[in-house]
């Protein structure tokens, strides 16, 4: 807890808004996407999904194969509390929907479905074919039930470990957006990053959740930033965004959202 609090204070000290950003690509991304106040219809669909999850009476037994939970002490977890304390927040879900819209995402991959609220934020606009991977069978079932209720047939939910799934897809499959929202271990995150590089193209964005979760996650983020294929990174504290655009000057940004 103290580590993350100190990391946030450091983030506040070094972060900027759109002022002083000299990259045209990043400036437009911030002003036309990050800070866009227009209402998207997809927001309403996501709000419905969150409300249903928060009102759920279900309790599930979670097989947590990642770095563990800083919220829950047992593997028996109410769906409502997962939605409240662990799932993507409304603010970040809306940012995700704006990113999907602004970047014209068509083909996406999510590592870490949980109960599906992050998946819905990617797929809610309807333009995206999303593959979402979850190792825990119980949470995957909750998510799939939610997708069916909302008639989100553009989501393909797979119950599998991340490593097993990534080992089984061909390098010809490319993604416009990859959301890594699971495991939260620095070494594992770097392994997923390396495995996913063959599935990117010039305009792909990778989004890493909880880059300041722990010292190992921060070290992973620093390694990703200096990778030879990475051109632009944006640290929003909760997320790290990675762009591979060869036409860009290599730069790192710390942005308040």
């Amino acid at each position: 807890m103290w580590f993350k609090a100190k990391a946030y204070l450091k983030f506040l000290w070094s972060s900027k808004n759109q002022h002083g950003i000299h990259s045209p690509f990043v400036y437009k991304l911030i002003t036309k996407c990050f800070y866009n106040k227009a209402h998207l219809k997809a927001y309403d669909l996501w709000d419905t999904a969150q409300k249903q999850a928060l009102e759920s009476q279900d309790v599930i037994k979670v097989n947590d194969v990642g770095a563990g939970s800083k919220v829950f002490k047992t593997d028996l977890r109410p769906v409502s509390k997962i939605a409240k304390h662990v799932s993507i927040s409304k603010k970040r879900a809306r940012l995700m929907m704006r990113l999907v819209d602004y970047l014209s995402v068509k083909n996406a991959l999510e590592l870490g479905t949980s109960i599906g609220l992050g998946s819905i934020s990617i797929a809610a606009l309807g333009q995206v074919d999303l593959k979402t991977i979850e190792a825990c069978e119980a949470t995957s079932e909750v998510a799939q039930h939610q997708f069916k209720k909302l008639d989100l047939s553009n989501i393909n939910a797979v119950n599998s470990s991340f490593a097993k799934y990534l080992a089984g897809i061909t390098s010809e499959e490319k993604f416009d957006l990859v959301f890594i929202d699971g495991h939260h271990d620095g070494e594992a995150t770097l392994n997923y990053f390396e495995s996913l590089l063959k599935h990117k193209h010039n305009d792909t964005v990778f989004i890493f959740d909880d880059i300041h979760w722990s010292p190992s996650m921060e070290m992973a983020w620093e390694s990703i930033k200096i990778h030879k294929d990475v051109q632009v990174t944006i640290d929003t504290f909760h997320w790290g965004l990675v762009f591979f655009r060869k036409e860009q000057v290599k730069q790192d940004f710390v942005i308040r959202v």
Side-chain angles (χ1 to χ4, degrees), residues 85-254:
H85 298 294
V86 179
S87 294
I88 190 171
S89 68
K90 178 181 285 192
K91 181 179 179 180
R92 290 197 289 282
R94 292 190 172 192
L95 174 58
M96 180 66 82
M97 287 181 265
R98 292 197 298 275
L99 281 164
V100 168
D101 184 49
Y102 180 79
L103 298 172
S104 300
V105 172
K106 303 296 183 193
N107 197 23
L109 173 69
E110 177 187 38
L111 299 183
T113 314
S114 185
I115 59 170
L117 292 178
S119 317
I120 294 166
S121 72
I122 298 170
L125 275 78
Q127 68 191 40
V128 183
D129 286 326
L130 171 66
K131 293 183 177 68
T132 182
I133 317 305
E134 174 57 54
C136 174
E137 185 177 0
T139 49
S140 182
E141 286 179 357
V142 171
Q144 290 180 57
H145 179 66
Q146 183 76 296
F147 303 154
K148 190 173 182 180
K149 279 170 59 176
L150 297 172
D151 197 27
L152 288 169
S153 58
N154 56 326
I155 302 178
N156 178 15
V158 179
N159 179 211
S160 169
S161 71
F162 300 165
K164 182 179 179 182
Y165 178 80
L166 292 174
I169 56 176
T170 66
S171 58
E172 285 72 30
E173 185 161 11
K174 307 297 181 186
F175 300 103
D176 306 319
L177 180 149
V178 176
F179 184 34
I180 299 92
D181 183 19
H183 210 150
H184 295 98
D185 171 82
E187 184 179 354
T189 296
L190 284 174
N191 288 337
Y192 301 142
F193 171 71
E194 292 287 350
S195 295
L196 285 161
L197 287 173
K198 61 179 173 288
H199 302 291
K200 68 174 176 60
H201 55 74
N202 190 61
D203 295 320
T204 297
V205 58
F206 285 4
I207 303 174
F208 293 88
D209 185 60
D210 272 334
I211 56 174
H212 299 287
W213 168 273
S214 65
S216 75
M217 284 297 290
E218 282 199 343
M219 286 190 289
W221 176 241
E222 292 302 317
S223 297
I224 289 166
K225 284 164 59 177
I226 62 173
H227 192 277
K228 62 181 179 61
D229 289 351
V230 172
Q231 291 300 107
V232 174
T233 64
I234 301 175
D235 177 350
T236 70
F237 187 71
H238 292 290
W239 286 352
L241 282 73
V242 176
F243 294 91
F244 304 92
R245 295 160 55 90
K246 292 179 181 177
E247 64 270 31
Q248 300 294 138
V249 175
K250 192 172 182 70
Q251 290 178 288
D252 306 309
F253 298 91
V254 181

